């Protein structure tokens, strides 16, 4: 059986940058097992399968090469950008049913895609010594005044504050230990960041070896969580939180830019959005 698959790079800052995503536009007749096998065969960090929904405009399911996950930002951006570019969607607001809930996706006039995330949940603080050991760093290499913490806007990740851009770039993680820590704390992985940047809000690296993704070049959900974390801990003003730019993928030579916004009301986060565009759309057929 041949399956039509579209590929593109979401959140690309430059040609060759961004995070590759695969999209199956009509997956209504595929079984769970077939979706998983296809995602494994394609081998991208996530493949999105679009099906009919009884409660939203679309149901979107996300598979890594290993298993299904609740939500994926870069694959959502890729899916809705693809539908906008092909004329399936006009500018406006749409709803997607995901395992993280029914979420709004806005298609702008220029096909910029902004997707709502689940409201943030802030979980336990993680011991710095454990984190540093798994990253082959010293405790002193982590930021002093803010702590690693599990945060979710749809997927649980450990936010890991690093002291400087130089330290972030030279970090060589022990992927076996990172995977063990991710399993221990029931998280997807680590989202490393520093507030020393090339011009954005934060500079990031994302590690998810437990799910077959040693490092990912651009993450929507993890950066939604990081945007919430920085706002929650007072690292961003209300105005700054409305216009967040996350840098990622530079250590992989895949420069990426993820836009985000966090809205507040009476000291509480009431809305989190992440977004961007996609480039280099290709169409292919994959044998299943």
């Amino acid at each position: 059986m041949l399956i039509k698959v579209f590929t593109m790079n979401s959140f690309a800052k430059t040609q060759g940058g961004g995070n590759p995503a695969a999209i199956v536009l009509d997956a209504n007749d595929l079984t769970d097992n077939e979706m998983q096998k296809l995602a494994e065969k394609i081998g991208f960090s996530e493949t999105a399968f679009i099906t009919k929904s009884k409660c939203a405009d679309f149901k979107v399911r996300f598979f890594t090469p290993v298993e299904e996950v609740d939500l994926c930002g870069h694959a959502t951006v890729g899916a809705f950008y693809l539908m906008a570019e092909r004329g399936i969607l006009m500018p406006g607001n749409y709803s997607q049913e995901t395992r993280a809930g029914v979420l709004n996706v806005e298609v702008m006039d220029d096909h910029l895609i902004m997707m709502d995330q689940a409201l943030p949940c802030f979980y336990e603080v993680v011991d710095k010594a454990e984190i540093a050991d798994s990253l082959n760093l010293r405790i002193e290499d982590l930021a002093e005044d803010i702590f690693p913490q599990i945060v979710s806007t749809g997927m649980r990740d450990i936010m890991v504050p690093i002291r400087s851009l130089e330290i972030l770039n030279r970090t060589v993680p022990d992927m076996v230990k990172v995977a063990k820590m991710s399993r221990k704390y029931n998280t997807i992985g680590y989202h490393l960041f520093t507030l020393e940047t090339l011009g954005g809000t934060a500079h990031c690296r994302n590690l998810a070896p437990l799910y077959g993704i040693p490092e990912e070049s651009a993450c929507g959900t993890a950066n939604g969580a990081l945007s919430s974390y920085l706002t929650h801990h007072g690292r961003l003003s209300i105005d700054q939180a409305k216009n967040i730019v996350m840098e990622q993928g530079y250590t992989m030579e895949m420069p990426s830019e993820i836009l985000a916004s966090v809205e507040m009301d009476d000291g509480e986060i009431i809305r989190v959005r992440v977004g961007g565009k996609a480039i280099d759309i290709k169409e292919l057929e994959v044998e299943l």
Side-chain angles (χ1 to χ4, degrees):
M1 177 169 59
L2 290 175
I3 305 297
K4 184 182 291 186
V5 178
F6 295 88
T7 66
M8 69 284 297
N9 284 6
S10 298
F11 299 128
K13 175 71 172 176
T14 61
Q15 194 70 32
N19 196 351
I23 312 297
V24 178
L25 281 178
D26 182 5
N28 290 300
D29 296 329
L30 294 179
T31 66
D32 293 3
N33 188 51
E34 287 171 336
M35 291 183 194
Q36 185 60 71
K37 284 184 177 179
L38 192 61
E40 181 181 0
K41 191 163 189 176
I42 293 167
F44 288 175
S45 59
E46 275 90 7
T47 298
F49 296 87
I50 301 174
T51 66
K52 294 178 181 178
S53 171
K54 295 180 180 179
C55 60
D57 294 314
F58 305 95
K59 182 176 182 178
V60 188
R61 299 178 65 182
F62 306 97
F63 287 78
T64 76
V66 177
E67 65 182 288
E68 186 174 8
V69 294
D70 293 348
L71 186 64
C72 175
H74 82 274
T76 295
V77 166
F80 280 81
Y81 188 85
L82 172 66
M83 289 191 286
E85 285 290 294
R86 290 176 64 86
I88 298 170
L89 299 180
M90 300 299 291
N93 286 283
Y94 300 89
S95 57
Q96 66 164 344
E97 178 190 353
T98 73
R99 296 206 314 184
V102 177
L103 303 172
N104 183 76
V105 179
E106 184 176 4
V107 178
M108 306 290 196
D109 289 338
D110 61 354
H111 295 174
L112 172 68
I113 307 299
M114 292 297 291
M115 61 169 292
D116 277 56
Q117 307 244 288
L119 290 179
C121 294
F122 300 94
Y123 299 100
E124 62 262 46
V125 168
V126 181
D127 181 64
K128 281 187 176 183
E130 281 189 291
I131 294 291
D133 176 67
S134 66
L135 295 172
N136 291 312
L137 294 176
R138 303 170 304 159
I139 293 177
E140 294 77 15
D141 292 329
L142 275 60
E144 276 187 306
D145 58 344
I146 191 167
F147 292 85
Q149 184 177 14
I150 300 168
V151 183
S152 173
T153 52
M155 294 171 66
R156 287 166 57 95
D157 275 294
I158 305 174
M159 304 296 114
V160 181
I162 303 295
R163 181 187 294 273
S164 71
L165 186 56
E166 184 273 329
I167 294 170
L168 179 69
N169 286 338
R170 66 170 166 81
T171 297
V172 181
D174 183 324
M175 292 299 181
V176 173
K177 289 183 178 180
V178 172
K180 287 181 178 178
M181 286 281 287
S182 301
R183 186 179 294 108
K184 175 181 176 180
Y185 288 100
N186 188 29
T187 62
I188 298 297
Y190 291 9
H191 199 59
L192 283 61
F193 74 93
T194 177
L195 298 182
E196 187 177 292
T197 72
L198 302 176
T201 305
H203 199 94
C204 313
R205 295 178 65 182
N206 187 271
L207 315 174
L210 183 62
Y211 286 81
I213 310 166
E215 184 163 356
E216 196 162 15
S217 56
C219 304
T221 50
N223 279 301
L226 176 57
S227 299
S228 302
Y229 169 93
L230 293 173
T231 304
H232 178 74
H233 288 293
R235 293 309 192 269
L236 299 176
S237 69
I238 292 176
D239 286 339
Q240 288 173 326
K242 293 177 181 177
N243 295 285
I244 296 168
V245 178
M246 297 301 190
E247 304 164 351
Q248 194 178 328
Y250 285 79
T251 54
M252 304 173 69
E253 298 184 351
M254 299 174 71
S256 305
E257 181 176 275
I258 300 94
L259 307 180
S261 68
V262 178
E263 296 178 24
M264 303 280 290
D265 184 37
D266 197 25
E268 297 292 328
I269 294 174
I270 60 169
R271 192 180 192 188
V272 181
R273 298 207 296 169
V274 297
K277 292 185 178 182
I279 64 170
D280 200 21
I281 296 174
K282 294 184 174 69
E283 181 179 336
L284 61 149
E285 290 185 327
V286 179
E287 180 82 39
L288 188 61

